[in-house]
Amino acid sequence: MAEPILDRERFVAQVTELQETLYRTARSILRNEQDAQDAVQEAVTQAFARLHTLRDPAKFKPWLLRILVNTCYDACRRRRSTVYLEAVEETLAAPQSDCEERMSLWSAVMRLPEEQKAVVTLFYYEDLPIRAISEVLGVTQGTVKTRLSRARGRLRQMLDQ
């Protein structure tokens, strides 16, 4: 049996280092804290089980993020009919005084469509290059650039309101 590219201790160290990134990415897709935590845990478990498939240890972060994004999208498909209160609260009318305040950039990002939100989170919050994002999401670099451009325009509109 072939030796895994990463040993257990190194795997744990890298996952620990990426813990915040993993949670933030999952949270941006799932919008629910508990679901995000579950998705991160499931993705880390899957990654450890598939560690032998990692060809290049230098690409551990995009590889793990790809597993996480797929896990999050699977969770979204499983719970389509479930509506969480947090998701509804954002669409409810706010009191007049709250309407005058500018929304934070993060809350604006959270209101983007899923594919745009994922691209913005990975590009701006996780500092991944376009090429790595395309690998993580399984789309072309052109698609990443288009989603990023549309997301920027949409964010500009939201923040101007």
Side-chain angles (χ1 to χ4, degrees):
M1 187 164 159
E3 281 276 322
I5 291 182
L6 293 177
D7 61 5
R8 183 181 184 148
E9 291 78 27
R10 192 161 163 211
F11 176 84
V12 171
Q14 288 191 343
V15 167
T16 302
E17 184 178 310
L18 294 172
Q19 191 172 8
E20 190 175 318
T21 298
L22 295 170
Y23 175 75
R24 187 174 30 235
T25 302
R27 182 87 162 107
S28 72
I29 295 170
L30 295 173
R31 295 187 182 196
N32 177 285
E33 185 176 338
Q34 188 61 46
D35 288 347
Q37 290 173 353
D38 291 345
V40 169
Q41 184 175 12
E42 186 177 334
V44 169
T45 302
Q46 286 179 20
F48 187 74
R50 296 183 198 159
L51 195 54
H52 64 280
T53 66
L54 177 62
R55 293 184 193 118
D56 182 2
K59 294 185 178 182
F60 180 78
K61 182 178 180 179
W63 177 77
L64 183 55
L65 283 170
R66 171 75 178 189
I67 293 171
L68 176 64
V69 167
N70 287 337
T71 301
C72 290
Y73 286 150
D74 287 345
C76 286
R77 282 189 286 275
R78 284 192 304 263
R79 70 172 175 117
R80 280 224 171 142
S81 61
T82 305
V83 177
Y84 290 99
L85 182 58
E86 294 104 22
V88 177
E89 285 175 353
E90 291 178 5
T91 60
L92 296 175
Q96 188 63 28
S97 61
D98 289 345
C99 290
E100 295 170 357
E101 294 178 20
R102 286 191 93 135
M103 73 171 78
S104 71
L105 181 58
W106 180 248
S107 69
V109 169
M110 295 306 292
R111 292 174 194 243
L112 290 172
E114 278 187 38
E115 61 269 347
Q116 291 176 1
K117 182 175 25 172
V119 170
V120 167
T121 302
L122 293 171
F123 187 78
Y124 288 108
Y125 292 96
E126 304 311 329
D127 296 323
L128 286 180
I130 301 245
R131 189 168 124 219
I133 295 170
S134 74
E135 291 173 14
V136 168
L137 298 177
V139 297
T140 65
Q141 290 182 34
T143 301
V144 172
K145 290 176 184 178
T146 300
R147 289 178 182 176
L148 198 52
S149 175
R150 289 180 181 161
R152 286 179 188 134
R154 199 166 221 184
L155 285 170
R156 219 175 280 118
Q157 284 179 330
M158 283 191 262
L159 293 172
D160 284 345
Q161 291 177 353

